[in-house]
Amino acid sequence: WRYDINIEADLVEELARMEGYDSLPKESLSPVYKKQIQSNESHLRNSLVSRGFNEIVSYAFISKEDHDLFGQKQKTLDVANPLSQNMSVMRTNLASGLVNTFLYNLNHGQENQRLFEIGNTFHTKNSREVVEQKLVAGLISGRKQSENWKDKSAEVTFFDLKGAVQDLLTDSNQISSLQNCNIDFLHPGMSSYIFCGKENVGFLGSIHPDVLDKLGVKEDLFLFSLDIEKLSILIHPKSYIHSIIHFTNGMIKIIAHETDMKIPIFNTLYM
């Protein structure tokens, strides 16, 4: 006849009410603090979002044409029963997804873009074994800031991309450096491999003008890619305390110098 009694806790409540809540034993509920350890993937994601990047999620299946542009001549891993011709090959890097998303946004009037993606890529090993590799890659293009009534913002450059990548590597226990790069879809004078110590962890650079012509893009596109598995060994995200920049007498000093046009851009970063 008691429709409000269904489980054991309902009976316990009735007994407590009969005995009186004041007669129940008291026990202090001290708070329990848990130390949350941030993963490398979460750290990379939060760092990029805090710098104005927007995360995208693209298919791991790409077209044969995209693989020819961005696949770096790696052996293709074909899909047996593709959903369409645009999804007939497994991707070997994240460049095609970022570029295609950029083109879609550009066609809808979005010129200033900062995109990134964290995802798996697929490679063949010994002609039979398939190896997955998790990467984080990003793309920037357009102006540094939105236009306003006062003036126009400057266009993003290779150095803006390099600064974003260096911020991601600030927690590495190895000194990062840039070395000459020979990736086909990147500009030979504005691209480089990224090394942490002696380990090659990725690349960054400007997309080659010939590739931009094939895509029908007039804007400069700057791209980076990092191997998360290699970074997990080099980076230990325990706590992230960023130092405060000190300026001498409140002044910011800007130093400019001229270099030969034949010198690769990454060589000018340490002069």
Side-chain angles (χ1 to χ4, degrees), residues 3 27 33 37 59 79 83-84 88 97 103 117 139 156 209 225 238 252:
Y3 61 87
E27 185 175 349
Y33 298 98
I37 300 177
Y59 288 108
V79 180
L83 297 174
S84 68
S88 59
L103 294 174
E117 181 174 12
L139 179 148
V156 295
S225 179
K238 298 178 181 178
I252 301 176

Coordinates of all heavy atoms in Angstrom, one line a residue, residues 3 27 33 37 59 79 83-84 88 97 103 117 139 156 209 225 238 252:
Y3 N 3.1 3.2 -2.1 CA 3.6 3.3 -3.4 C 5.0 4.0 -3.6 O 5.6 3.9 -4.6 CB 2.6 4.0 -4.3 CG 2.3 5.4 -3.9 CD1 3.1 6.5 -4.3 CD2 1.3 5.7 -3.0 CE1 2.9 7.8 -3.9 CE2 1.0 7.0 -2.6 CZ 1.8 8.1 -3.0 OH 1.6 9.3 -2.6
E27 N 29.5 12.0 10.8 CA 30.8 11.7 10.2 C 31.2 12.8 9.3 O 30.4 13.3 8.5 CB 30.8 10.4 9.4 CG 32.2 10.0 8.9 CD 32.2 8.6 8.2 OE1 31.1 7.9 8.4 OE2 33.2 8.3 7.6
Y33 N 40.9 15.6 -2.8 CA 41.4 16.3 -4.0 C 42.2 15.3 -4.8 O 43.1 14.6 -4.4 CB 42.4 17.4 -3.5 CG 41.7 18.4 -2.7 CD1 41.8 18.4 -1.3 CD2 41.0 19.5 -3.3 CE1 41.1 19.4 -0.5 CE2 40.3 20.4 -2.5 CZ 40.4 20.4 -1.1 OH 39.8 21.3 -0.4
I37 N 46.3 14.6 -14.1 CA 47.5 14.7 -15.0 C 47.0 14.8 -16.4 O 46.2 14.0 -16.9 CB 48.3 13.4 -14.9 CG1 48.8 13.3 -13.4 CG2 49.5 13.5 -15.8 CD1 49.6 12.1 -13.2
Y59 N 37.6 12.8 -42.5 CA 37.6 11.3 -42.7 C 39.1 10.9 -42.9 O 39.9 11.6 -43.4 CB 36.8 11.0 -44.0 CG 35.3 11.1 -43.8 CD1 34.6 12.1 -44.4 CD2 34.6 10.2 -43.0 CE1 33.2 12.2 -44.2 CE2 33.3 10.2 -42.9 CZ 32.6 11.3 -43.4 OH 31.2 11.4 -43.3
V79 N 41.3 1.1 -50.2 CA 40.1 0.6 -49.6 C 39.4 -0.4 -50.5 O 39.2 -0.1 -51.7 CB 39.1 1.7 -49.2 CG1 37.9 1.2 -48.5 CG2 39.8 2.7 -48.3
L83 N 33.3 4.0 -50.2 CA 32.0 4.6 -50.3 C 31.8 5.4 -51.5 O 30.8 5.6 -52.1 CB 31.7 5.5 -49.0 CG 31.7 4.7 -47.7 CD1 31.5 5.7 -46.6 CD2 30.6 3.7 -47.7
S84 N 33.0 6.1 -52.0 CA 33.0 6.8 -53.2 C 34.4 6.9 -53.6 O 35.4 6.5 -52.9 CB 32.4 8.2 -53.0 OG 33.2 9.0 -52.1
S88 N 38.8 6.5 -51.5 CA 39.3 5.2 -51.9 C 40.7 4.9 -51.4 O 41.2 3.8 -51.6 CB 39.4 5.3 -53.5 OG 40.2 6.3 -53.9
G97 N 43.0 16.8 -45.4 CA 41.8 17.1 -44.6 C 41.8 18.6 -44.2 O 40.8 19.3 -44.3
L103 N 39.5 25.1 -48.0 CA 38.8 25.4 -49.2 C 37.3 25.6 -49.0 O 36.7 26.5 -49.6 CB 39.1 24.4 -50.3 CG 40.6 24.3 -50.8 CD1 40.8 23.1 -51.7 CD2 41.0 25.6 -51.4
E117 N 44.1 19.5 -36.5 CA 43.4 18.2 -36.4 C 44.4 17.2 -35.7 O 45.6 17.3 -35.9 CB 43.0 17.6 -37.7 CG 42.3 16.3 -37.6 CD 41.8 15.8 -39.0 OE1 42.2 16.3 -40.0 OE2 41.0 14.8 -39.0
L139 N 47.0 24.3 -39.8 CA 47.1 25.2 -41.0 C 46.7 26.6 -40.6 O 45.7 26.8 -39.9 CB 46.2 24.6 -42.1 CG 46.2 25.4 -43.4 CD1 46.0 24.4 -44.6 CD2 45.0 26.4 -43.4
V156 N 49.5 36.6 -42.2 CA 50.3 35.6 -41.5 C 51.5 35.2 -42.3 O 51.4 35.2 -43.6 CB 49.5 34.4 -41.0 CG1 48.4 34.8 -40.1 CG2 48.9 33.7 -42.3
P209 N 53.9 26.7 -54.4 CA 53.0 27.5 -55.3 C 52.4 26.6 -56.4 O 51.2 26.9 -56.8 CB 54.0 28.5 -55.9 CG 55.0 28.7 -54.9 CD 55.2 27.3 -54.2
S225 N 53.1 19.7 -39.0 CA 52.7 18.3 -38.6 C 53.7 17.8 -37.6 O 54.9 17.9 -37.8 CB 52.6 17.4 -39.9 OG 52.2 16.1 -39.5
K238 N 53.5 18.1 -16.9 CA 53.2 18.0 -15.5 C 52.5 19.3 -15.1 O 51.4 19.3 -14.5 CB 54.4 17.8 -14.7 CG 55.1 16.5 -15.0 CD 56.4 16.4 -14.2 CE 57.1 15.0 -14.5 NZ 58.4 14.9 -13.8
I252 N 60.3 47.9 -26.2 CA 60.4 46.7 -27.0 C 61.4 47.0 -28.1 O 61.2 48.0 -28.9 CB 59.1 46.3 -27.6 CG1 58.1 46.0 -26.4 CG2 59.2 45.0 -28.4 CD1 56.7 45.7 -26.9

